[in-house]
Amino acid sequence: MKPLLSSLPGIQAENSRVFYDGMRDGIPIGLGYFAVSFSLGIVAKNAGLTAFQGFLASALVNASAGQYAGFTLIAASAAYLEMVIVVLIANARYFLMSCAMSQRMKPETPLHHRLLMGFYVTDELFGISIARPGFLNPYYTYGAILVAAPCWATGTALGVIAGNLLPLRAVSSLSVALYGMFLAVIIPPANKNKVIAGLILICFASSYAATWLPLVSSLSAGTRTIILTVAISAMAALLFPVKRKEMEND
C-alpha cells in the first residue's frame, strides 16, 4: 500500500494541472457556445419556452442541432415519439464520439468517470479531448465543461429574454468564434503529424463532395457526417494503426 499512498499527492497534482488546462481550453468554447446558444434561445422563445425552461433544456441536452430540432417540433406541436426519434437521429454522431473516447481511456477508469464524460460529449469538447496526447484524463474534460456548460445554458436563457432585440444577423455573426476554435483544435496536431494533416484534408474534400454526389447529397447533414466519420476513421485505422505502446509514450 505504501507506493500507492505515496503516489496519491502526485496523482492529485496531475489531475489539478489537467483540470486547469481544461478550463483554459474551455474559454474559447464557452464564448462560442454563448453566441450560438443565444440564437438558440430566440428559437426557444418562438416555441413558447420561458427563460428557465430554455436554461434547463440546454443544461440537460447539450446539443445545438438536437435542441434546434426539438424546439422546432415543440413549436409544431409534434408528438413525443416523433420528437424522440428526430433528436436521436440528429445526435447519433455522439455515439461514435463516445466510442472513440472510450478507446482513449485507461482500462481501469471508473464507471462514474465514463458516465460523466459521456453525458457531456459535444463536437467541441470531443475535439479538444481527443486531441490530447496519450490516455484521456477525465479531469481535463471536467475543467472544459465547468467553463463551457454554464455559457451554453446561460446564453440560451438570455436569448429567450432578449428575443428579437438584436438583429438576427448580428447574433449569427457571433458564432464565427466556434470556427476559429475548430481551427485551433485541428491545426496543432496537423503540424506535428502528416497523417493527421492528410486525413483532415480528406475529411474536408469528402464532406464537400458528399453535398453534390447523387443519393448521398439527399441524406441529412447528420447522416452524411455519420457515414463519412465511420468510413474515414475505419480507413485510417486500417492503413495507419496506432500501437498501444506509442499511445502510452505520448
Side-chain angles (χ1 to χ4, degrees), residues 120-195:
Y120 220 102
V121 171
T122 67
D123 300 317
E124 297 76 21
L125 294 177
F126 169 79
I128 62 170
S129 297
I130 209 71
R132 299 277 293 182
F135 288 115
L136 291 180
N137 186 325
Y139 289 91
Y140 175 80
T141 306
Y142 297 160
I145 291 173
L146 185 66
V147 176
C151 292
W152 181 254
T154 305
T156 305
L158 292 179
V160 175
I161 295 171
N164 293 320
L165 290 180
L166 288 177
L168 186 58
R169 287 186 177 180
V171 175
S172 299
S173 64
L174 296 175
S175 62
V176 73
L178 276 178
Y179 295 99
M181 185 275 300
F182 267 121
L183 291 177
V185 168
I186 63 176
I187 289 178
N191 281 334
K192 296 178 182 177
N193 192 316
K194 292 182 179 179
V195 173

Side-chain angles (χ1 to χ4, degrees), residues 12-237:
Q12 292 174 350
E14 173 66 12
N15 289 340
S16 297
R17 185 183 66 78
V18 297
F19 182 80
Y20 288 122
D21 286 347
M23 290 183 66
R24 178 201 61 202
D25 296 343
I27 291 175
I29 296 177
L31 294 176
Y33 274 8
F34 183 83
V36 174
S37 62
F38 193 88
S39 56
L40 187 66
I42 295 175
V43 179
K45 181 194 175 187
N46 294 335
L49 272 71
T50 65
F52 177 71
Q53 289 170 334
F55 178 89
L56 206 58
S58 286
L60 297 177
V61 180
N62 315 316
S64 57
Q67 285 183 248
Y68 182 84
F71 293 155
T72 303
L73 290 172
I74 290 174
S77 301
Y80 288 127
L81 181 60
E82 184 180 4
M83 196 179 303
V84 169
I85 293 174
V86 170
V87 173
L88 187 65
I89 294 174
N91 293 335
R93 66 186 185 282
Y94 295 132
F95 290 128
L96 302 176
M97 295 180 190
S98 299
C99 290
M101 289 184 71
S102 69
Q103 300 303 305
R104 291 286 308 280
M105 302 179 77
K106 288 183 178 178
E108 61 270 23
T109 301
L111 179 61
H112 65 276
H113 282 308
R114 295 177 181 270
L115 292 177
L116 284 173
M117 293 180 71
F119 173 72
Y120 220 102
V121 171
T122 67
D123 300 317
E124 297 76 21
L125 294 177
F126 169 79
I128 62 170
S129 297
I130 209 71
R132 299 277 293 182
F135 288 115
L136 291 180
N137 186 325
Y139 289 91
Y140 175 80
T141 306
Y142 297 160
I145 291 173
L146 185 66
V147 176
C151 292
W152 181 254
T154 305
T156 305
L158 292 179
V160 175
I161 295 171
N164 293 320
L165 290 180
L166 288 177
L168 186 58
R169 287 186 177 180
V171 175
S172 299
S173 64
L174 296 175
S175 62
V176 73
L178 276 178
Y179 295 99
M181 185 275 300
F182 267 121
L183 291 177
V185 168
I186 63 176
I187 289 178
N191 281 334
K192 296 178 182 177
N193 192 316
K194 292 182 179 179
V195 173
I196 294 177
L199 290 172
I200 290 174
L201 293 176
I202 290 174
C203 290
F204 284 157
S206 302
S207 181
Y208 178 75
T211 61
W212 293 95
L213 291 174
L215 299 178
V216 181
S217 60
S218 62
L219 301 174
S220 67
T223 304
R224 289 200 301 267
T225 300
I226 293 171
I227 293 173
L228 289 175
T229 301
V230 173
I232 295 174
S233 60
M235 178 195 72

